[in-house]
């Protein structure tokens, strides 16, 4: 049955057709109850976004995450961001002595383009709330905020050296050898990537030392180890990026999935994670055209590693509105029009049958046939051109297999970036800027 056959409108009091069994109006945080019932005892909830610049996704994701923290005991939030930058936020929200007392200050220290992904008013509001929540609890009960991404090669090496000081000579020597190996490339990992396997040995030796230290316990040692894993992942990522093909994407998403695994282990028995990332990372790649290109993502890997009962994947989408993005890589953020969705796409069809905001929770059995049908599903990155909508920006998707639930915002509004110092980031790979 097609979505058009569902014949569900805002004035349809019966919420008839197939959507009546899975769709719920979404007017406030209490309306997430059907999704929370589906989440139940799951250990991992991944919350997506169809763009990196939409206020509505961030706000609704924040509201749901607050309930996961306060009512379901989730242990940490892990985002599609760099580990060193997010570690400053983590230290702030958990009240580590010497950390920024206002998480917004930590967010404004983000430098890698596009800073607005995390240095925005919506994330600042959540992090201020999280700090207040945490400070009413003992340190071991406090909820963390961590970065999953792989880009921060130089920042992570500097963080390792700062952490080690002179207290562990073997680990310090290994880190200094890695630093000296990368130093001739002027801090530009893309220049380094043109040299085949130049620093792999130094990175492996440093990582071995950091893993040994982390085994002795302690949050600071774990953070240093994770920075070592970032350096190793970034070294592989940038070399793969130069070669082209799907390898660099897969290195990145596998690194994010491995980081999530390490965090769950570090937080201990019963730990639970909320992930914030783009739909292209969260939604199971096997239910999209991505798998035909040889791509994997963290949603797919989490389902494989933990099983479908312990992982809940939630996608987001809109029909039209406005979005924050850059016109090219490194360009200033600007408000852009998000035009009406392409005719026949998932968003176009949902626009005809759903109210302004809705929550779809997909049943495990006895599912409407259209959930297994393939529709084009919009994906907007940090680089965006509305004119490309005619031939790009859509990922063929089986909605019910890609996600366990879907949040609908018919009309989108732009994010509110904080003022932040920006330096050019490294160019991301396919799909562009997500």
């Amino acid at each position: 049955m097609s979505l058009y056959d569902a014949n569900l409108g805002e004035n349809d009091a019966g919420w008839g057709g197939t959507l009546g069994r899975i769709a719920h109006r979404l007017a406030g945080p209490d309306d997430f109850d059907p999704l929370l019932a589906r989440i139940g005892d799951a250990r991992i909830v991944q919350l997506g976004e169809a763009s990196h610049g939409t206020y509505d996704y961030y706000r609704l994701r924040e509201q749901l995450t607050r309930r996961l923290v306060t009512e379901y005991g989730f242990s940490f939030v892990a985002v599609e961001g760099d580990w060193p930058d997010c570690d400053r936020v983590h230290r702030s929200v958990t009240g580590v002595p010497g950390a920024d007392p206002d998480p917004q200050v930590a967010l404004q220290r983000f430098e890698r383009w596009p800073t607005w992904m995390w240095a925005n008013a919506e994330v600042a509001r959540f992090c201020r709330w999280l700090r207040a929540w945490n400070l009413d609890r003992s340190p071991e009960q406090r909820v963390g905020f961590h970065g999953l991404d792989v880009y921060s090669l130089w920042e992570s090496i500097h963080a390792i050296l700062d952490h080690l000081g002179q207290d562990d000579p073997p680990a310090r020597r290994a880190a200094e050898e890695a630093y000296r190996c990368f130093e001739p490339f002027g801090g530009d990992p893309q220049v380094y990537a043109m040299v085949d396997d130049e620093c792999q040995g130094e990175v492996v030796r440093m990582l071995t030392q950091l893993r040994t230290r982390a085994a002795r316990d302690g949050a600071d040692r774990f953070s240093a180890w994770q920075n070592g894993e970032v350096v190793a992942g970034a070294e592989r990522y940038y070399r793969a990026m130069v070669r082209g093909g799907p390898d660099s994407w897969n290195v990145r998403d596998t690194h994010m999935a491995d980081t999530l695994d390490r965090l769950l282990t570090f937080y201990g028995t019963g730990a639970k994670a909320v992930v914030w990332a783009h739909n292209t990372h969260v939604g199971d790649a096997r239910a999209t055209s991505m798998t035909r290109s040889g791509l994997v993502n963290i949603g797919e890997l989490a389902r494989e590693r933990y099983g479908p009962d312990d992982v809940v994947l939630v996608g987001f989408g809109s029909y039209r509105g406005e979005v924050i993005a850059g016109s090219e890589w490194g360009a200033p953020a600007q408000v852009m029009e998000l035009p009406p969705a392409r005719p026949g796409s998932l968003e176009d069809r949902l626009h005809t049958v759903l109210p302004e905001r809705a929550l779809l929770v997909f049943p495990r059995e006895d599912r409407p046939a259209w959930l297994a049908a393939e529709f084009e599903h919009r994906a907007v990155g940090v680089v965006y051109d509305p004119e490309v909508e005619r031939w790009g920006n859509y990922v063929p998707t089986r909605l019910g297999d890609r996600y366990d639930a879907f949040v609908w915002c018919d009309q989108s509004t732009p994010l509110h970036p904080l003022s932040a110092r920006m330096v050019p980031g490294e160019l991301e790979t396919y799909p562009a800027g997500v």
Side-chain angles (χ1 to χ4, degrees):
M1 177 178 289
S2 75
L3 289 178
Y4 291 123
D5 293 333
N7 191 29
L8 176 63
E10 187 168 0
N11 296 321
D12 183 348
W15 285 75
T18 60
L19 276 173
R21 294 190 285 120
I22 65 174
H24 311 269
R25 298 182 190 275
L26 188 56
D30 290 345
D31 294 329
F32 282 116
D33 284 352
L35 175 54
L36 291 168
R38 173 62 183 274
I39 290 169
D41 295 326
R43 293 188 66 195
I44 300 169
V45 175
Q46 298 193 20
L47 306 179
E49 57 188 7
S51 85
H52 287 311
T54 299
Y55 161 82
D56 311 82
Y57 304 153
Y58 281 68
R59 180 60 172 153
L60 291 167
R61 199 163 55 179
E62 172 200 351
Q63 292 174 347
L64 178 54
T65 302
R66 289 193 190 199
R67 293 196 63 185
L68 290 171
V69 169
T70 59
E71 300 173 35
Y72 286 76
F74 273 68
S75 313
F76 61 90
V77 178
V79 307
E80 184 189 339
D82 290 340
W83 179 269
D85 284 339
C86 292
D87 194 53
R88 289 194 295 270
V89 180
H90 167 75
R91 295 170 69 84
S92 177
V93 300
T94 55
V96 172
D100 291 315
D102 182 356
Q104 180 167 311
V105 174
L107 290 166
Q108 286 177 303
R109 293 170 63 192
F110 279 46
E111 294 186 348
R112 185 184 307 280
W113 191 92
T115 58
W116 72 80
M117 275 180 61
W118 305 116
N120 59 67
E122 290 69 34
V123 174
R125 177 176 49 236
F126 171 77
C127 289
R128 283 171 164 170
W129 170 84
L130 185 59
R131 176 180 167 89
W133 166 268
N134 280 335
L135 293 185
D136 283 339
R137 283 151 185 83
S138 60
E140 63 274 10
Q141 295 177 313
R142 294 176 184 176
V143 175
F145 186 96
H146 303 286
L148 296 175
D149 227 328
V150 75
Y151 294 124
S152 59
L153 192 157
W154 273 98
E155 296 87 344
S156 288
I157 288 180
H158 284 294
I160 290 166
L161 290 169
D162 289 344
H163 166 73
L164 289 174
Q166 303 299 325
D167 296 334
D168 190 333
R172 176 80 188 189
R173 280 196 300 273
E176 288 175 342
E177 287 173 5
Y179 178 83
R180 284 194 294 270
C181 186
F182 286 114
E183 192 172 23
F185 305 101
D188 188 339
Q190 294 177 78
V191 174
Y192 162 75
M194 304 298 292
V195 182
D196 188 35
D197 299 348
E198 178 76 14
C199 297
Q200 279 187 305
E202 288 81 355
V203 170
V204 168
R205 285 191 289 275
M206 178 184 70
L207 193 53
T208 299
Q209 291 289 336
L210 293 170
R211 285 171 176 162
T212 300
R213 284 175 56 86
R216 303 172 201 162
D217 199 14
D220 287 342
R221 286 175 175 166
F222 175 83
S223 185
W225 171 30
Q226 178 56 30
N227 273 310
E229 297 285 358
V230 170
V231 173
E235 195 272 341
R236 292 192 299 271
Y237 171 82
Y238 291 114
R239 284 192 291 106
M241 184 181 68
V242 168
R243 293 194 299 267
D247 287 351
S248 60
W249 173 276
N250 290 343
V251 166
R252 182 185 175 207
D253 271 58
T254 301
H255 171 85
M256 289 198 281
D258 292 345
T259 300
L260 180 61
D261 293 347
R262 284 189 289 273
L263 283 164
L264 286 165
T265 300
F266 176 74
Y267 274 83
T269 304
K272 297 181 180 182
V274 185
V275 174
W276 293 357
H278 197 278
N279 285 345
T280 47
H281 299 294
V282 164
D284 193 324
R286 294 170 296 184
T288 76
S289 60
M290 295 169 65
T291 195
R292 298 194 285 271
S293 301
L295 303 174
V296 300
N297 64 13
I298 55 177
E300 172 187 349
L301 294 171
R303 279 179 170 174
E304 288 179 344
R305 295 177 184 185
Y306 294 90
D309 292 338
D310 256 348
V311 178
V312 175
L313 309 179
V314 184
F316 287 66
S318 297
Y319 174 67
R320 69 181 304 169
E322 292 181 323
V323 64
I324 289 283
S327 59
E328 60 183 6
W329 199 261
Q334 60 179 292
V335 177
M336 298 185 181
E337 178 194 8
L338 186 72
R342 183 185 297 172
S345 65
L346 173 70
E347 288 78 6
D348 176 57
R349 293 167 184 255
L350 290 177
H351 169 68
T352 68
V353 295
L354 289 177
E356 173 63 29
R357 288 194 177 177
L359 169 66
L360 281 63
V361 181
F362 307 142
R364 299 180 189 274
E365 299 176 354
D366 189 25
R367 307 166 78 183
W370 61 265
L371 285 177
E374 189 170 270
F375 297 98
E376 292 184 320
H377 178 17
R378 180 152 56 188
V380 174
V382 292
V383 176
Y384 181 58
D385 179 355
E387 293 298 317
V388 175
E389 289 272 336
R390 291 174 292 180
W391 54 269
N393 290 115
Y394 286 81
V395 179
T397 293
R398 300 190 309 277
L399 188 68
D401 297 327
R402 186 174 181 181
Y403 309 113
D404 298 295
F406 193 76
V407 175
W408 176 248
C409 306
D410 192 78
Q411 184 91 7
S412 72
T413 51
L415 205 60
H416 301 94
L418 302 174
S419 59
R421 176 177 176 265
M422 284 199 295
V423 296
E426 285 75 39
L427 186 63
E428 298 182 33
T429 52
Y430 172 85
V434 296

